[in-house]
Amino acid sequence: MEKKLKDLREEYLKIPIPKELNDVVQAALNEKPRKKPRVGRNILVSAAAVLLIVTASVNISPAAAKAMSDIPIVEKVIKVITFVEWKEEANNSSALIKTPAISGLENKELEDSLNDKYLSESKQLYKEFTDSMSKLKEGEKGNISVESGYVILTDNETILSVQRYTDTIQASSSTESQFDTVDKKNEVLLTLNSLFKDERYLQVISENIKEQMKRQMAEDPEKIYWVEDDDFTAFKGIDENQNFYINEDGKLVIAFNSYEAAPGYMGAVEFIIPTKVLSDLLVGDQYIH
């Protein structure tokens, strides 16, 4: 496992990154920890960023990790680790960006593809934050908070579902997420379309979500969804690119980012689709049951 993590780290360090970010990375790798310097106006060329490289932070406790190291591995172990973490505070603003990486897949093409995507997303988010800070005038406060990380939603013998989320606060707040669900046995990335026989599932799921929206609003006056037929912004239905994951109970969950299906105060919302609604449309019951 240690060798695989080392190889994974070396592969990532070969990926080109912006010059400014590369300077910070190299400084963190080559120098000993030191006190955080005074924050200057241009954080892109200063040493204000605190960069933490975490290449072996497996999502288990240190005690459990020690115990696992003493046990012979008799089968492949697919895990999600925190590969790199960027943390920065400046001009009344903050960013905390944790990048996941998947290890243990024999399908290295899939593993590399996912990990490259995760790192690319984090780099872009970090760049957007630093670009915003660099545009501030002397003494101006950014008042921006960005936190990005990941959650392992499902991890069983069959599937691994990982959520990457970004919470942004700037005047208002918003949450955006992306999901990946991997078939651990066959080592393939599942798409929504691949779970069903044909495209009928799009309408069936959409209608069920509308029913759930209306029922929730009837039961709780504080809940509002954009579902009224005469509403210009009304939820029309999902498409094959809709965010989804499969939970620990083997149920399909349809996920929406902030403002996609409801006002901002509702945040990100999810709907569990009853399997009985989908049973005739599913390719099989291996994943959803």
Side-chain angles (χ1 to χ4, degrees), residues 18 33 66 71 107 130 159 169 172 187 192 201 206 213 229 248 267:
K66 176 62 174 65
I71 300 175
N107 183 348
T130 54
I159 63 172
I169 301 177
S172 60
E187 298 201 356
L192 190 58
Y201 76 91
S206 297
M213 287 178 170
D229 294 336
E248 288 284 3

Side-chain angles (χ1 to χ4, degrees), residues 6 16 36 40 104 131 148-150 154 171 189 194 196 215 218-219 256:
K6 181 179 179 181
K36 183 178 178 181
D131 284 350
S148 179
Y150 66 95
T154 306
L189 184 65
S194 68
F196 298 94
R215 182 168 63 251
E219 296 173 350
F256 296 91

